[in-house]
Structure formats: structure tokens, C-alpha cells
Amino acid sequence: MILKTAIIGMGKMGRIRKKELDLHPGFEVVAICDVNESVRKDFPNIQFHKNWEDALNTNLDVVIVCTFNNIIPDIVCSALEKGLHVFSEKPPGRSIDDVKRMIEAEKKAKNQIIKFGFNHRFHYAIMETKSIIDSGRYGKILWARGIYGKSGGENFESSWRSNRKLVGGGILLDQGIHMLDLLRYFLGDFSEVKSFVENCYWKNIELEDNVFALLKTSDNKFAMLHSSATHWKHKFSLDIFLENGYICVNGILSSTRSYGEESITFAKKQFESEVNAIGKPREETIYFDKDDSWRLEIEEFYDCIIGEKRLTSGTTKDALKAMELIDKLYKVEK
Amino acid sequence: MSGLERWFVLQIDIYGKKDIKMIRYKFLDTSIHEMNIHPNSIFSKERELARMFVSQLEKNNSLVYCPLCKSGNAELFFEKWGQKYYLCETDWSVNLLPLPDQKIMRDYFFTSELAKFRSSTEYQELATRLRQGLWSNLVEWIEGRVRRYVGMDKYHVIDWGSKFTGWINRLEKAHFISNLNMEEPLPPVKSYESTVQADLICLLDVIQRTTNPHELLKKVSKKLSLNGLLIITCRSGSGFDILTLREHSDNVFPLDHICLPSPKGIQKLLEEHGYKVLELTTPGLLDVEFVKNAKGKIPSDQYFQKHLISQFDEATLERMQIFLQQNNLSSHLRVVARRVEDRK
């Protein structure tokens, strides 16, 4: 089954998504849309629209939304109304209300799939982590610590990412949401949070550049999160400590490899050992040289559309939970 | 070509062409040493029995071709006990050529003095005692891969070519197994053939002692369900210790070691038989130690290796072993593959 597809927003993410859609035999990109007219020349053989409403009025099965956060809910709701399947980049809008709007549209829809791009769940190190946790070999999770930091560049203050009207939140909503989603994915829902939401360095923007957060689930699992736009060296790290062992994910593969190699180090707790001192267990590390996350995410989306799979990640529930957490973290600080 | 030149050619071969790495391992276990696995008291007897058997074989000078890639592009690499090992210049596999016939193989593995010695209770009990830790790690690793690629359930497993009763006893305790069969075991392990296709086949240290890897893969494929997993461990001919020590490598000898594929060679073999390689790594722990333990036998033209072994401390050698692990240059090869196509 070939699905006629439109991509709204042909910036960096739109182009990444297009590349994967072109490689997948089940999608045919028949239309693209961007407010920037100059994009047209890069895709001479595809129907081009400047207005997303016009794009949705073409003969379509699927729409991929890669726009600024402020118009995501309008496009998603409109596409669902028209009976289209929807894949949207994260974050899912700018607020909880945005997500609730989309959930209402989903309820009225006729079994269409709506999926948000919480892409990190499809990285091999994360999949490996999930597999180890689910196997139960290390027992229950005790606590986790996630750091996701990037260096805001020279034009950070004037970038669209720093425009509150367009995006709704700072580094936590933009990038930290991935780490929050992963913490939820592994530890479950958080019932209590504490946070500092700060402008440590970028003083001329009205959005935070650092969030330091503590989170607790109702069954007493704890998480620490640092989301930063002043991490001059890009960093992704997620440590998960369980009753009988630990898992540390370091680095996440990206096109520029600026977050380093992607690896997972894991080990059993060793209190008694003939060869190792306590606190220096025998570790195993797996390095991943390949990032198939974009492909795997699109494959899952397709399989859900044709009914071969049930949507398990990037659901509207995941989107709502992530946004509720972000909202709490912003409000606690106030 | 000197050892160092070979080394650099291998680097270029691995990095300059199609990259077959998707994941790499780093794993140090300071409790595992050559003497723990091959204690001299028993391993020297084992080798001597093997040597006595092999030395009676006829010397054969017929044409040679690589049993893996079928090319005739092989050069004599070294001789051991009157038998010749060739390095295939196409895929960097090391093979004993010409291949021994099936009768010789059967005698060697089933009826020879060596076979009797290996079947003995004393030998099997010692192997169990020495390898318990290794086997536990191996079972845990297999379980981890099964969970990762197939999911949480119980599966029908075939262990192909088992030679240790202790291994079978350990494996059948694994949580992920519903039924366990043994195909083509060596004595004293009893054959327990499966009448249906399995979800998972373990081919542990078997390819290295086969004269026909293609025929072996065909037989294995008949017993493995479509989308089933194949787990392989094997000695690799392109590993650091083998390329360095050649005939002086104590733990590579005829007829236990006939076909020593490189990562590239085994990848090609599996793809030809309808498998998709999910992981191909060389997480060996002992390459550098093997070379260090045989430092007096390092061939005279291996200056780099001599320099490394004689001039550097344990920490450097440990880092070297990690380098070998991470770059598929160790001689202990591990593969996880999925059978994705029916190939006749």
C-alpha cells in the first residue's frame, strides 16, 4: 500500500524526514509546503505550496508536520479532520492545551494514526537499554540521571528557537523533552517534581537556557535532569541504576556526531569479587556506529497505519505526559 | 609481506571499503587468562595427541581454494605439523588447505586417541570447572541478544556441534529456552535431533573446524525457522594473535582449526545463505596475552609486535586489547544473524 504524503515545513527536520520517506516503499511524497519560496527549487518535481491549508487540500493519505511549534496543533487538528494520518515533530505544540486540542481531534478521527517524533526511543543504545531493563536481569530501577546539553551558537538569541511566541518554551521544551520522555519511558510517570529554571548565560531571551530538575515517581524511583543550552561541548548521557546493576548511555548519534559516539555501558553490581574491588565491577560497553532511528521511526508509523502494529511510542498520551511534566517543572520554579 | 605491512593492509581493508561494523564491543575481564582456559597440564596433552594424529596424514599439494569465498587467491601463510595454512587475499580468512576428507575428520573427532581423551570424564569435568564463568557470561549474552532481537519469551533452541556436556547442562538452565536439541555434537555429548525448525541455533566454535562452511550453513538453515536467530562464535583468521604468531600460535592447530574466517568473510558467507547480520563483533580478551605468552616465538619480522610486547606495561597492553576488540581485529569472532530468506 503506497501512501500519498505531504511534508509541511522543509527545514532541517523536513528534509531528514523526506529522505527517509523516499527510501520507504510505502510512502510517496507528493507535496511539500514551506513559507520560504526558495525551497521550491530544491524539489523541482514535487508539488509545492506556501500555505499549509492548500497542501492539505491535495489528494493525501498522510501528512508530516515539521513546522514551528506554534502552528503544529492547527495543522494536526485540520489533518485529522480531513481523515489523514499524522506524524508530527516534537514538541507537540507549546502547551498542555495544545496537546488537549489534538487529543480531542484524535477522538473524533476515524482510526487514523497520530504519532509524535520522540525519536530517541529508536536509537540503538536506548533500545538496548530498554531490552536490558525489561529482561529483569538487573532488578528494579532505583534512580536515573539524565543530562542533555547543547551549545547555543552565535545566533542563538536571534534564532526562532528563542522566540517565545513561536516555540512556547526554552531548552527544556526544545531538547530536554527528549530526556523527559526517556525518563518516563524507563521509570514511569512522575508524581513530584522540583526544579530551577534559569537564564544562566543567555540574558537577552525570554526563555530558559538551563533547567535543573528532580523528579520522583509514586513508587519511589528518582530522577535528576539537567537540560542545558550552555553546554559548550554537546552532551547526552543517561545513567540508570537498578537493584543489581547499572546502565549508562553516553552520546547519541547525530548527523554531525557532535554528541559523540553512542554507547551503552552496563554491569552487574559486584559486592564480592576475587579480582575487582567493590565499586569497580566488570563492565561491558557496546558502541553503535549507525543511527537508524529516523528509518525505524518512519517504519513503525507505516506499520501502524496499515494495521500491522499498535502504536506504542510517540502517542498523544506520551505527548500529554511530557507536556504536563514540562508545565509542572516551569510552574514549580515560579 | 612483513607482519606490520600485513597489519596495515588489514586496516585499509577494513576501513577503506564497505564498513561492516554496526556495533563494537569493549569488555575487559581481568579474571580470564589463557592458563585458566588452557591449563598446560591438560592442554599440552591435547595438543600432543592432535599433533600425533595430524603428523600421520599424507602431505597433499593439490590446488587450493578458499572454502569461504571460493577464490584461488590464497598465499601460503604458514605450515604446522606438515599441514599448510593459506591466507585468502580476497577476504583475509585463514584456511587449512587442501581440506582433509570426511573420513579423516570423522576419525579425528570421534575415534582418535584425542577424541577419547576429550570424551573422558576427567577432561569434561575440568572443562566444566574452568569454563563455568565463561559459560555463564555466554548464556547471559545469548539471552540478552535474544531478548533484544526477538523479545521476552521462551524459544526452541538447537545447540549445533556441542563438545562439552557442562555447556549443555548450563545452557538448558537458561530462562529463554523451552526446548533444547543437540545436532551434530562431538563425543561425549549425545545427539538429540530436532524434528521441527528451531527459533534459535547456536553455532559455537564450530565453523572453525568445518571443511565446508557452505554445506554447514545449508544444514543449519534447514533447521532454523525463517526470521530465526543464528548465534555464532568462532576463531577469526584476521585476529591479531594469529596474524602475529602464525604457526607459533599454540591454540591454532590442525584439525581443530581448519576454516578461520575474517569478519568480512563470515559476513559474506552468511549473506550468501540468506542471513542478515545484526551484529558482528570481536570481543576477544586474550589476543595480546597469547602474543605476550609466546613472545619468544614472535617471528623476527614482526617488529611492531615485538616492540609492543617487550617495551610496554600492562595498562598499554590492556588498551591495545580494547583497540582490537573495538575495531574487529581480535581473533574471537561473535555474530548474531537473522535468517531472512530461503536459499536453496
Side-chain angles (χ1 to χ4, degrees), chain A residues 306-320:
Chain A
I306 63 168
E308 273 194 9
K309 262 189 188 169
R310 200 171 55 83
L311 189 66
T312 55
S313 73
T315 61
T316 47
K317 185 189 167 196
D318 290 325
L320 182 63

PDB file of all heavy atoms in Angstrom, chain A residues 306-320:
ATOM      1  N   ILE A 306      -0.928   0.668   8.447  1.00  0.00           N
ATOM      2  CA  ILE A 306      -1.507  -0.469   7.708  1.00  0.00           C
ATOM      3  C   ILE A 306      -2.025  -1.565   8.655  1.00  0.00           C
ATOM      4  O   ILE A 306      -2.469  -2.609   8.219  1.00  0.00           O
ATOM      5  CB  ILE A 306      -0.506  -1.071   6.687  1.00  0.00           C
ATOM      6  CG1 ILE A 306       0.733  -1.650   7.388  1.00  0.00           C
ATOM      7  CG2 ILE A 306      -0.104  -0.035   5.646  1.00  0.00           C
ATOM      8  CD1 ILE A 306       1.599  -2.498   6.479  1.00  0.00           C
ATOM      9  N   GLY A 307      -1.943  -1.287   9.947  1.00  0.00           N
ATOM     10  CA  GLY A 307      -2.551  -2.188  10.926  1.00  0.00           C
ATOM     11  C   GLY A 307      -1.701  -3.359  11.350  1.00  0.00           C
ATOM     12  O   GLY A 307      -2.191  -4.294  11.975  1.00  0.00           O
ATOM     13  N   GLU A 308      -0.417  -3.319  11.000  1.00  0.00           N
ATOM     14  CA  GLU A 308       0.449  -4.437  11.383  1.00  0.00           C
ATOM     15  C   GLU A 308       0.960  -4.310  12.816  1.00  0.00           C
ATOM     16  O   GLU A 308       1.439  -5.281  13.390  1.00  0.00           O
ATOM     17  CB  GLU A 308       1.651  -4.524  10.434  1.00  0.00           C
ATOM     18  CG  GLU A 308       1.351  -5.350   9.217  1.00  0.00           C
ATOM     19  CD  GLU A 308       2.589  -5.738   8.438  1.00  0.00           C
ATOM     20  OE1 GLU A 308       3.703  -5.501   8.930  1.00  0.00           O
ATOM     21  OE2 GLU A 308       2.421  -6.253   7.331  1.00  0.00           O
ATOM     22  N   LYS A 309       0.919  -3.105  13.333  1.00  0.00           N
ATOM     23  CA  LYS A 309       1.445  -2.870  14.680  1.00  0.00           C
ATOM     24  C   LYS A 309       0.510  -1.927  15.412  1.00  0.00           C
ATOM     25  O   LYS A 309      -0.252  -1.180  14.789  1.00  0.00           O
ATOM     26  CB  LYS A 309       2.810  -2.163  14.567  1.00  0.00           C
ATOM     27  CG  LYS A 309       3.998  -3.070  14.683  1.00  0.00           C
ATOM     28  CD  LYS A 309       5.261  -2.237  14.787  1.00  0.00           C
ATOM     29  CE  LYS A 309       6.507  -3.089  14.702  1.00  0.00           C
ATOM     30  NZ  LYS A 309       7.693  -2.255  14.549  1.00  0.00           N
ATOM     31  N   ARG A 310       0.618  -1.954  16.731  1.00  0.00           N
ATOM     32  CA  ARG A 310      -0.107  -0.990  17.551  1.00  0.00           C
ATOM     33  C   ARG A 310       0.873   0.113  17.918  1.00  0.00           C
ATOM     34  O   ARG A 310       2.054  -0.166  18.215  1.00  0.00           O
ATOM     35  CB  ARG A 310      -0.607  -1.691  18.813  1.00  0.00           C
ATOM     36  CG  ARG A 310      -1.746  -1.003  19.542  1.00  0.00           C
ATOM     37  CD  ARG A 310      -2.259  -1.943  20.642  1.00  0.00           C
ATOM     38  NE  ARG A 310      -1.172  -2.349  21.536  1.00  0.00           N
ATOM     39  CZ  ARG A 310      -0.741  -1.608  22.565  1.00  0.00           C
ATOM     40  NH1 ARG A 310      -1.289  -0.435  22.819  1.00  0.00           N
ATOM     41  NH2 ARG A 310       0.238  -2.047  23.328  1.00  0.00           N
ATOM     42  N   LEU A 311       0.426   1.348  17.870  1.00  0.00           N
ATOM     43  CA  LEU A 311       1.321   2.467  18.194  1.00  0.00           C
ATOM     44  C   LEU A 311       1.681   2.420  19.680  1.00  0.00           C
ATOM     45  O   LEU A 311       0.803   2.398  20.540  1.00  0.00           O
ATOM     46  CB  LEU A 311       0.641   3.797  17.859  1.00  0.00           C
ATOM     47  CG  LEU A 311       1.531   5.031  17.948  1.00  0.00           C
ATOM     48  CD1 LEU A 311       2.628   4.992  16.891  1.00  0.00           C
ATOM     49  CD2 LEU A 311       0.716   6.306  17.786  1.00  0.00           C
ATOM     50  N   THR A 312       2.978   2.365  19.963  1.00  0.00           N
ATOM     51  CA  THR A 312       3.391   2.258  21.368  1.00  0.00           C
ATOM     52  C   THR A 312       4.261   3.426  21.811  1.00  0.00           C
ATOM     53  O   THR A 312       4.500   3.607  22.995  1.00  0.00           O
ATOM     54  CB  THR A 312       4.189   0.960  21.604  1.00  0.00           C
ATOM     55  OG1 THR A 312       5.275   0.938  20.680  1.00  0.00           O
ATOM     56  CG2 THR A 312       3.326  -0.265  21.430  1.00  0.00           C
ATOM     57  N   SER A 313       4.762   4.200  20.872  1.00  0.00           N
ATOM     58  CA  SER A 313       5.580   5.334  21.304  1.00  0.00           C
ATOM     59  C   SER A 313       5.243   6.556  20.466  1.00  0.00           C
ATOM     60  O   SER A 313       4.845   6.440  19.301  1.00  0.00           O
ATOM     61  CB  SER A 313       7.071   5.005  21.173  1.00  0.00           C
ATOM     62  OG  SER A 313       7.447   4.996  19.829  1.00  0.00           O
ATOM     63  N   GLY A 314       5.389   7.720  21.105  1.00  0.00           N
ATOM     64  CA  GLY A 314       5.043   8.958  20.418  1.00  0.00           C
ATOM     65  C   GLY A 314       3.530   9.131  20.301  1.00  0.00           C
ATOM     66  O   GLY A 314       3.036   9.831  19.419  1.00  0.00           O
ATOM     67  N   THR A 315       2.814   8.491  21.226  1.00  0.00           N
ATOM     68  CA  THR A 315       1.353   8.609  21.203  1.00  0.00           C
ATOM     69  C   THR A 315       0.938   9.977  21.761  1.00  0.00           C
ATOM     70  O   THR A 315       1.759  10.692  22.362  1.00  0.00           O
ATOM     71  CB  THR A 315       0.710   7.522  22.096  1.00  0.00           C
ATOM     72  OG1 THR A 315       1.181   7.747  23.442  1.00  0.00           O
ATOM     73  CG2 THR A 315       1.110   6.127  21.646  1.00  0.00           C
ATOM     74  N   THR A 316      -0.335  10.302  21.617  1.00  0.00           N
ATOM     75  CA  THR A 316      -0.815  11.568  22.199  1.00  0.00           C
ATOM     76  C   THR A 316      -0.728  11.512  23.732  1.00  0.00           C
ATOM     77  O   THR A 316      -0.548  12.537  24.378  1.00  0.00           O
ATOM     78  CB  THR A 316      -2.268  11.863  21.766  1.00  0.00           C
ATOM     79  OG1 THR A 316      -3.047  10.685  21.927  1.00  0.00           O
ATOM     80  CG2 THR A 316      -2.337  12.343  20.338  1.00  0.00           C
ATOM     81  N   LYS A 317      -0.820  10.291  24.278  1.00  0.00           N
ATOM     82  CA  LYS A 317      -0.667  10.150  25.734  1.00  0.00           C
ATOM     83  C   LYS A 317       0.772  10.523  26.136  1.00  0.00           C
ATOM     84  O   LYS A 317       0.985  11.264  27.108  1.00  0.00           O
ATOM     85  CB  LYS A 317      -0.991   8.716  26.173  1.00  0.00           C
ATOM     86  CG  LYS A 317      -0.960   8.546  27.675  1.00  0.00           C
ATOM     87  CD  LYS A 317      -1.052   7.099  28.105  1.00  0.00           C
ATOM     88  CE  LYS A 317      -0.685   6.991  29.586  1.00  0.00           C
ATOM     89  NZ  LYS A 317      -0.375   5.639  30.006  1.00  0.00           N
ATOM     90  N   ASP A 318       1.747  10.006  25.381  1.00  0.00           N
ATOM     91  CA  ASP A 318       3.146  10.360  25.652  1.00  0.00           C
ATOM     92  C   ASP A 318       3.339  11.875  25.544  1.00  0.00           C
ATOM     93  O   ASP A 318       4.036  12.487  26.358  1.00  0.00           O
ATOM     94  CB  ASP A 318       4.098   9.670  24.653  1.00  0.00           C
ATOM     95  CG  ASP A 318       4.181   8.170  24.865  1.00  0.00           C
ATOM     96  OD1 ASP A 318       4.111   7.736  26.026  1.00  0.00           O
ATOM     97  OD2 ASP A 318       4.324   7.433  23.864  1.00  0.00           O
ATOM     98  N   ALA A 319       2.718  12.437  24.523  1.00  0.00           N
ATOM     99  CA  ALA A 319       2.849  13.886  24.299  1.00  0.00           C
ATOM    100  C   ALA A 319       2.263  14.660  25.470  1.00  0.00           C
ATOM    101  O   ALA A 319       2.868  15.617  25.977  1.00  0.00           O
ATOM    102  CB  ALA A 319       2.144  14.269  23.001  1.00  0.00           C
ATOM    103  N   LEU A 320       1.081  14.238  25.918  1.00  0.00           N
ATOM    104  CA  LEU A 320       0.421  14.932  27.024  1.00  0.00           C
ATOM    105  C   LEU A 320       1.246  14.810  28.302  1.00  0.00           C
ATOM    106  O   LEU A 320       1.464  15.801  29.018  1.00  0.00           O
ATOM    107  CB  LEU A 320      -0.985  14.360  27.238  1.00  0.00           C
ATOM    108  CG  LEU A 320      -1.808  15.038  28.328  1.00  0.00           C
ATOM    109  CD1 LEU A 320      -2.087  16.505  27.985  1.00  0.00           C
ATOM    110  CD2 LEU A 320      -3.120  14.305  28.570  1.00  0.00           C
TER     111      LEU A 320
END
